[in-house]
Amino acid sequence: MKSILTDRQLAITIDRLSHQLIENHPQFENTVLIGLQPRGIYLSDRINNKLQTLLPGVKVPYGRLDITFYRDDYKSGKGLHTPNETDIDFSIDNKHVVLVDDVLYTGRTIRSAMDAMLDFGRPATVELLVLIDRRFSRELPIQPDYTGRTIDAIITEKVRVLWKERDGKDEVVLIA
Amino acid sequence: MSLSAKHLLGIRDLKRSDIELIFQTADQFKEVLQRPIKKVPTLRDTTIVNVFFENSTRTRISFELAEKRLGADVVNFSASGSSVSKGETLIDTVNNILSMKVDLVVMRHSATGAPHFLSKHINVPIVNAGDGINEHPTQALLDAFSIRERLGSVEGKKVAICGDIMHSRVALSNIYCLKKLGAEVTVAGPPTLIPKYIAEALGVNVTYDIREALNWCDVANILRIQLERQNMPLFSSLREYSLAYGVNRALLDSLQKEIVIMHPGPINRGVELSSDVADSGQSIILDQVENGVATRMAVLYLLARKEGAKE
């Protein structure tokens, strides 16, 4: 098991990603943040909290999206996924949507997320923010706009993002 | 995470964890049904046939809506006007339909055990939408789901099932479901409409006094008098039944508390339930109908994959 980001590096990375978001969306006037269930929401929660600190008085619309019913492996025999809660209490029509997930791997989750999101309205633009980009592993033409760390891992390796809220500590590790 | 059964033939075959999984999934489908676009593409490559050998309005529409909102292709079959009237057997009818590459069968039949019989002869999942006087599992699921929604949980709640217990598949499925979820159940009705050994067989309380049942319970599930299933008169008249066992405003006002009123529909207004009670704030009858779509979506979602899955 190899550490990719320590807790300190993870905090700095989230800090940087939040600043990058503000560079492109200064007051979040027409921009909304959507975290992907189940694991992307830990990152989006952190970024949302950071944005509250960096932009006092600005209310960033923030939702959580579950993509279970939009997956393309329903009949693949890999086990049925338990759905998680979707909570988007605002319209995304004509909004700039920033999708947030922890690890970008094959791109299939993001493909499903875009399908799911379109059932809530027609956004003006969609950007993708990920903590870890496993480049060279893509099965669909999907690329992130904001990346915490890019890694080249072989297919048998697994990236695991640990969060204090759930796992007791903050760290990103590569499991061989 | 998966159901322990291949088919949904009855609540009797399910485990408590299965029921909880169905509810957990239905919660999320309920959210889908609140969206501007109330549809997901989960079952877009699945064809479902609704085989109804017996009349139905809400169950068939509820299943059809659930199927369509999951993105499935839907075929409807009703026995009247079909080759069944030419003497075709149940297995032949269903096998012919399945030859057209159908992935799941939803079946209602007036004969008790028909879906169980069919499940031994065909290879796709079957959802029982009511068989004779046996079970109506999805109705029980949506009833328990509605109780959970209104009262927070089913565990520890007192539920009275009132009316024609003898002929009601809703009653039997409800008893199994509520008991598995930890509720206490009392059945109430005329002695002629309550099976003799039900207390010993199913672990429920029995009373012939509707007022006693309502005074005891948190929730009253009022059942329809099923005249179509009664071969001989089991009570003197509907008027007398209504006077002795009908739930009306005066009766509810005389209780010391406010109870939740349920009814699986269709209501014989003025017989087992008066209109002012059925339409009051105490009644969750329309919530039951709404929850029916979400719970049926959950059941179909959890079963449709069984065909061809490596499990």
Side-chain angles (χ1 to χ4, degrees):
Chain A
M1 194 165 75
K2 183 179 142 194
S3 184
I4 302 173
L5 290 176
T6 63
D7 57 347
R8 188 172 143 72
Q9 287 169 321
L10 183 62
I12 294 169
T13 306
I14 290 172
D15 214 15
R16 170 169 60 79
L17 290 169
S18 305
H19 279 98
Q20 284 179 329
L21 278 178
I22 294 173
E23 268 183 19
N24 289 341
H25 308 276
Q27 288 298 314
F28 272 79
E29 281 153 345
N30 207 29
T31 305
V32 303
L33 204 62
I34 294 181
L36 296 190
Q37 291 273 24
R39 286 204 261 263
I41 59 159
Y42 295 99
L43 176 62
S44 57
D45 279 354
R46 298 280 180 99
I47 288 180
N48 185 40
N49 290 340
K50 195 80 208 170
L51 291 174
Q52 307 293 331
T53 323
L54 296 172
L55 298 169
V58 174
K59 178 96 182 75
V60 178
Y62 170 46
R64 296 164 177 193
L65 179 65
D66 181 55
I67 57 130
T68 307
F69 302 134
Y70 296 82
R71 299 179 65 99
D72 58 7
D73 58 355
Y74 175 73
K75 283 197 174 174
S76 71
K78 281 185 191 162
L80 206 51
H81 295 266
T82 316
N84 293 285
E85 195 184 347
T86 290
D87 175 22
I88 300 176
D89 59 0
F90 47 81
S91 164
I92 62 162
D93 272 335
N94 296 317
K95 298 280 167 49
H96 299 290
V97 176
V98 181
L99 285 179
V100 179
D101 203 3
D102 59 350
V103 180
L104 174 61
Y105 184 34
T106 61
R108 288 181 188 271
T109 300
I110 304 302
R111 199 280 311 155
S112 307
M114 287 197 284
D115 256 10
M117 188 184 57
L118 291 175
D119 278 357
F120 287 85
R122 184 179 181 276
T125 60
V126 182
E127 290 180 324
L128 177 61
L129 181 152
V130 297
L131 185 63
I132 305 292
D133 174 16
R134 291 184 67 167
R135 60 176 175 179
F136 308 134
S137 308
R138 218 74 81 234
E139 293 170 6
L140 297 171
I142 285 169
Q143 301 303 332
D145 301 281
Y146 309 91
T147 309
R149 178 70 62 98
T150 304
I151 64 159
D152 300 335
I154 57 173
I155 204 151
T156 53
E157 290 172 321
K158 203 172 170 193
V159 175
R160 186 130 187 96
V161 183
L162 307 172
W163 299 101
K164 205 174 272 168
E165 303 87 302
R166 196 194 53 194
D167 311 299
K169 63 173 178 177
D170 282 349
E171 195 180 6
V172 182
V173 293
L174 188 67
I175 303 165
Chain B
M1 188 223 63
S2 200
L3 286 185
S4 62
K6 180 184 174 183
H7 310 282
L8 179 65
L9 300 177
I11 301 291
R12 197 175 58 175
D13 313 323
L14 292 184
K15 296 179 183 150
R16 180 174 176 154
S17 58
D18 290 327
I19 299 173
E20 280 162 357
L21 174 61
I22 292 169
F23 286 177
Q24 193 187 345
T25 312
D27 280 334
Q28 304 317 319
F29 281 122
K30 191 140 191 206
E31 184 274 319
V32 169
L33 297 176
Q34 314 298 326
R35 294 182 192 172
I37 297 174
K38 301 169 181 55
K39 189 167 174 154
V40 289
T42 319
L43 299 190
R44 69 192 143 203
D45 57 349
T46 302
T47 307
I48 301 177
V49 59
N50 301 315
V51 189
F52 277 66
F53 288 90
E54 199 186 64
N55 294 338
S56 167
T57 308
R58 76 206 67 222
T59 304
R60 196 179 59 74
I61 291 178
S62 183
F63 266 110
E64 195 171 337
L65 264 180
E67 289 150 5
K68 287 184 170 165
R69 286 181 171 166
L70 283 167
D73 292 318
V74 182
V75 183
N76 285 307
F77 165 90
S78 52
S80 57
S82 76
S83 289
V84 172
S85 57
K86 299 178 190 169
E88 190 173 64
T89 65
L90 175 60
I91 292 178
D92 279 344
T93 304
V94 174
N95 271 333
N96 275 306
I97 294 169
L98 290 177
S99 302
M100 300 173 205
K101 305 286 177 241
V102 170
D103 303 298
L104 192 143
V105 175
V106 175
M107 187 171 89
R108 166 167 288 195
H109 205 291
S110 57
T112 294
H116 304 71
F117 167 75
L118 199 61
S119 71
K120 292 183 175 68
H121 293 91
I122 67 171
N123 202 23
V124 302
I126 299 175
V127 179
N128 181 2
D131 63 323
I133 58 167
N134 179 39
E135 284 221 44
H136 191 351
T138 54
Q139 179 70 42
L141 290 167
L142 74 90
D143 286 346
F145 185 85
S146 303
I147 294 173
R148 169 181 173 266
E149 186 179 71
R150 176 58 80 99
L151 298 177
S153 81
V154 177
E155 174 110 47
K157 298 291 179 293
K158 294 175 176 169
V159 183
I161 303 176
C162 310
D164 184 356
I165 309 297
M166 175 93 77
H167 301 97
S168 175
R169 50 196 176 206
V170 175
L172 187 58
S173 280
N174 259 278
I175 291 168
Y176 285 134
C177 189
L178 293 166
K179 298 277 295 175
K180 282 185 186 191
L181 293 173
E184 242 188 292
V185 180
T186 290
V187 294
T192 47
L193 291 178
I194 297 185
K196 202 173 177 188
Y197 299 107
I198 192 168
E200 294 83 352
L202 299 175
V204 296
N205 313 309
V206 177
T207 175
Y208 305 127
D209 180 351
I210 187 96
R211 179 183 293 275
E212 186 189 321
L214 297 183
N215 248 325
W216 169 83
C217 71
D218 303 308
V219 180
N221 198 354
I222 315 295
L223 304 178
R224 184 172 64 88
I225 285 293
Q226 308 207 15
L227 289 174
E228 76 275 18
R229 290 190 207 287
Q230 298 181 11
N231 301 322
M232 57 177 180
L234 291 166
F235 51 89
S236 53
S237 70
L238 281 179
R239 182 172 158 71
E240 192 193 44
Y241 180 86
S242 174
L243 286 171
Y245 292 96
V247 176
N248 54 38
R249 177 48 53 200
L251 177 58
L252 287 185
D253 285 346
S254 72
L255 305 177
Q256 304 303 313
K257 56 181 179 178
E258 184 160 297
I259 59 170
V260 176
I261 299 292
M262 302 174 71
H263 192 297
I267 308 172
N268 292 317
R269 283 182 181 258
V271 181
E272 68 267 3
L273 200 58
S274 68
S275 275
D276 55 348
V277 173
D279 303 331
S280 72
Q282 271 176 275
S283 146
I284 57 168
I285 295 170
L286 292 177
D287 297 332
Q288 289 174 265
V289 178
E290 185 188 339
N291 289 335
V293 179
T295 40
R296 289 183 173 115
M297 285 172 86
V299 166
L300 296 168
Y301 170 74
L302 293 167
L303 283 181
R305 190 175 151 276
K306 294 278 180 176
E307 168 70 353
K310 294 166 203 152
E311 284 182 318

